[in-house]
Amino acid sequence: QVQLVESGGGLVQAGGSLRLSCAASGPTFSSYAMGWFRQAPGKEREFVAGITREGRLIKYGDSVKGRFTISREDAKNTMYLQLTSLKPEDTALYYCARYRIPYQWSGWETANFDTWGQGTQVTVSS
């Protein structure tokens, strides 16, 4: 059973930066597309960024485009999310997720991801 563990969240002032990490157990990390999502209190889970195998395709949500950068390091079974120019509205619990099926990709919808971490809290103060 694969496990995803996020880290790197914290409290930061507006305009600041953080780097989130997602460490995956198991030998098949490189076979899957991966994604970052976030959920703020009272709001639906929102797609933040996604990356396919070998980084061939990368997608960002409109609200983070130009400020966040997703990457992966398959040798370390780890995915990253660099957050810059943070805004108070970026405050949320950030989750990493693994795609349902290896070697495939058919869109960034939440339903296409079936393995989730516990989340790491990002709080941006104004």
Side-chain angles (χ1 to χ4, degrees), residues 59-91:
K59 172 75 172 179
Y60 296 99
D62 290 341
S63 61
V64 306
K65 203 172 297 183
R67 300 187 298 121
F68 292 7
T69 303
I70 189 172
S71 62
R72 63 188 300 161
E73 191 170 358
D74 290 343
K76 294 186 176 181
N77 278 14
T78 303
M79 176 178 64
Y80 304 98
L81 186 68
Q82 180 70 44
L83 292 66
T84 63
S85 301
L86 282 162
K87 305 175 182 179
E89 51 264 44
D90 294 319
T91 296

Side-chain angles (χ1 to χ4, degrees), residues 97-112:
R98 193 188 75 171
Y99 217 74
R100 287 186 301 115
I101 303 172
Y103 303 104
Q104 291 190 23
W105 176 83
S106 60
W108 300 112
E109 291 76 16
T110 305
N112 286 333

Side-chain angles (χ1 to χ4, degrees), residues 16-51:
S17 300
L18 286 171
R19 189 175 84 153
L20 308 184
S21 297
C22 171
S25 62
T28 59
F29 175 79
S30 62
S31 305
Y32 290 83
M34 300 289 295
W36 286 99
F37 294 77
R38 68 185 182 185
Q39 189 165 18
K43 294 189 177 181
E44 292 188 356
R45 191 166 294 190
E46 173 190 15
F47 172 77
V48 174
I51 185 167

Side-chain angles (χ1 to χ4, degrees), residues 2-6 22-25 29 34 96-98 115-119:
V2 67
Q3 286 190 322
L4 303 176
V5 179
E6 303 95 336
C22 171
S25 62
F29 175 79
M34 300 289 295
C96 68
R98 193 188 75 171
T115 302
W116 297 81
Q118 294 299 306

